Amino acid sequence: MGAAPERDRAPGGPPGGSRRASLPWEVWALLAGSFLVAAGYGIVAPALPVFARSFGVGVTAASAVVSALPVMRLLFAPLSGRLVARTGERTMYLAGLLVVAASTGACALATSYTQLLVFRGLGGIGSTMFTVSAFSLMFRLAPEGRRGQASGLFTGAFLLGGVTGPAFGGLLVAVDLRAPFVVYAVALVLATIVVGALLARSRQVGVRRDGPQETPLTLGAAVRIPTYRAALVSSLATGWAVQGVRVALVPLFVAVALGREPLWAGIALTVFAVGDGLVLLATSGLSDRRGRRPVVVAGLALVVAGTAAMALAQLPGALGLVVLLGASAVAGAGAGLLQPAQGAAVADLVGSRRSGGPALSGFQMAADVGAIVGPIAAGALAENASFPVAFALSAAIALVALVAWQRLPAGPPPGSPPGSPPGSPGEDAGTRRA
């Protein structure tokens, strides 16, 4: 296997040494912060729609409060990427945490529905600041041969936080509807202080380098790279089928089409999350060893199969429930394979010596677009056609992404180290060329 390019080596490290290096402590600090943020989202999730309804609004208006944050994330993402490139990841990371803390604390003080809607939406600005800077910083710090593992751990931290948060939030709601917001805001302030103090000790975080190879990877330059375009499509598919339609459509499908109790929707979503988490933790470093493209293609194939199989859950009796849970497990396993590998593929394009804020913001925007448009489009199809048609559309979106990845070149791209075999870790399908 060829030596790593100069721009992808750790400063002062030996050639190729980054492939054997362990994850630096800064990455673990970022993972802890990611877990806390995700847990906080889960803590306020049970309270948010109920709190909105307490102002005398209907179900649609209460749902709009839930959508306010991802919509603002999407609108602010392009500016966030440019700010990360100009001001540095650490500054934007800590500022993002404080913005989310301030907006969450303001939600606890809201005295009207309009205030709650505005304050929750402002949290989306901090969310994208935090997410883009955390991704950029983590991928820059992670050794080249560990980027897939780092991506998997980052996704796993969010997943674990999202699973544990709602249970704690449910207990706080029983005390007071405003309590989850207060607890989350205070926790974020403490996390900003602790993580900020840790990152201030780092010799790598906040270091600005000069030179043509350290110029930030802009969105315009990134979209000219076939691998990045494929990553955008698979990110859209992930947001559509995994983050959007799964949460929005499965509960309605279980209640309306299957005529089952809401308990089964919760079980199906839990099975998906368990499949996602187990596969993610078990295989997060697989793309570091086998290459990005084959792992992404395998993950998308499982997402396509699991999503399409949902249509068969209308079979009578217990067989339908077996299909529902089996399809959820297959789709969850696919998400666990897909997400770390596609994130690491984008990180490979950025490299370890420059900011990837603009490119990473575009990657995030694609997922946000899928998460926002997917439920609306699939819901309209379910209402005017049928649920199977809605699931078929979601599976088709993932299939398009699979084809986009499958069509990428199978060998190392031009400019790879001499002697690099096709599909070598971190070099597959053009993931190294920037």
Side-chain angles (χ1 to χ4, degrees):
M1 183 175 296
E6 289 293 337
R7 68 177 176 86
D8 283 344
R9 292 180 192 154
S18 62
R19 291 191 180 278
R20 296 183 296 274
S22 59
L23 292 176
W25 64 264
E26 294 95 335
V27 170
W28 295 104
L30 293 173
L31 292 174
S34 301
F35 168 80
L36 181 61
V37 169
Y41 287 153
I43 287 174
V44 302
L48 189 59
V50 181
F51 189 30
R53 288 294 302 275
S54 69
F55 293 112
V57 300
V59 175
T60 302
S63 301
V65 173
V66 178
S67 301
L69 189 143
V71 169
M72 288 300 295
R73 274 172 55 95
L74 177 62
L75 295 177
F76 192 75
L79 178 59
S80 177
R82 291 194 293 271
L83 288 175
V84 168
R86 291 179 181 178
T87 64
E89 294 100 338
R90 182 176 62 190
T91 300
M92 286 292 289
Y93 177 87
L94 298 176
L97 287 179
L98 289 176
V99 169
V100 176
S103 68
T104 305
C107 286
L109 302 176
T111 58
S112 69
Y113 170 79
T114 302
Q115 289 182 3
L116 180 63
L117 182 65
V118 171
F119 293 152
R120 182 62 176 172
L122 291 176
I125 296 177
S127 175
T128 191
M129 291 168 62
F130 158 82
T131 304
V132 172
S133 56
F135 261 114
S136 180
L137 186 56
M138 184 184 63
F139 286 143
R140 185 163 65 81
L141 293 172
E144 180 190 355
R146 295 293 184 92
R147 288 178 188 148
Q149 181 189 21
S151 179
L153 290 173
F154 191 80
T155 306
F158 266 100
L159 179 64
L160 183 60
V163 170
T164 58
F168 187 41
L171 296 176
L172 290 174
V173 169
V175 177
D176 188 278
L177 278 176
R178 300 175 189 266
F181 300 97
V182 174
V183 170
Y184 184 29
V186 172
L188 280 177
V189 172
L190 295 176
T192 304
I193 295 172
V194 174
V195 177
L198 289 174
L199 294 182
R201 299 170 50 201
S202 173
R203 296 183 178 180
Q204 300 300 321
V205 178
V207 176
R208 301 187 67 86
R209 301 179 175 89
D210 298 319
Q213 290 186 335
E214 284 73 52
T215 302
L217 179 60
T218 64
L219 184 58
V223 295
R224 292 195 291 271
I225 306 172
T227 301
Y228 185 77
R229 295 197 297 268
L232 287 181
V233 180
S234 60
S235 181
L236 174 70
T238 301
W240 185 300
V242 174
Q243 300 170 8
V245 170
R246 175 181 61 90
V247 175
L249 209 61
V250 168
L252 294 174
F253 177 61
V254 170
V256 177
L258 303 186
R260 299 282 183 174
E261 298 82 2
L263 170 66
W264 287 105
I267 293 175
L269 294 177
T270 301
V271 168
F272 178 98
V274 170
D276 185 357
L278 291 178
V279 172
L280 188 150
L281 293 176
T283 65
S284 61
L286 183 63
S287 69
D288 292 327
R289 302 186 296 273
R290 300 296 183 183
R292 313 300 187 207
R293 191 186 70 162
V295 178
V296 172
V297 169
L300 285 169
L302 291 177
V303 170
V304 171
T307 304
M310 284 286 185
L312 302 177
Q314 289 184 288
L315 294 172
L319 183 59
L321 291 177
V322 171
V323 172
L324 173 68
L325 300 182
S328 298
V330 170
L337 273 176
L338 164 66
Q339 292 170 329
Q342 69 178 5
V346 176
D348 291 336
L349 298 175
V350 176
S352 61
R353 289 183 174 267
R354 60 177 173 179
S355 171
L360 290 171
S361 68
F363 180 66
Q364 174 191 295
M365 285 176 65
D368 287 338
V369 169
I372 293 170
V373 177
I376 297 173
L381 276 177
E383 186 174 8
N384 296 290
S386 66
F387 280 96
V389 173
F391 286 122
L393 173 63
S394 301
I397 298 295
L399 181 61
V400 171
L402 188 155
V403 172
W405 275 92
Q406 187 63 44
R407 288 171 60 87
L408 291 174
S416 293
S420 298
S424 58
E427 296 167 5
D428 183 64
T431 57
R432 288 275 299 281
R433 188 182 183 190

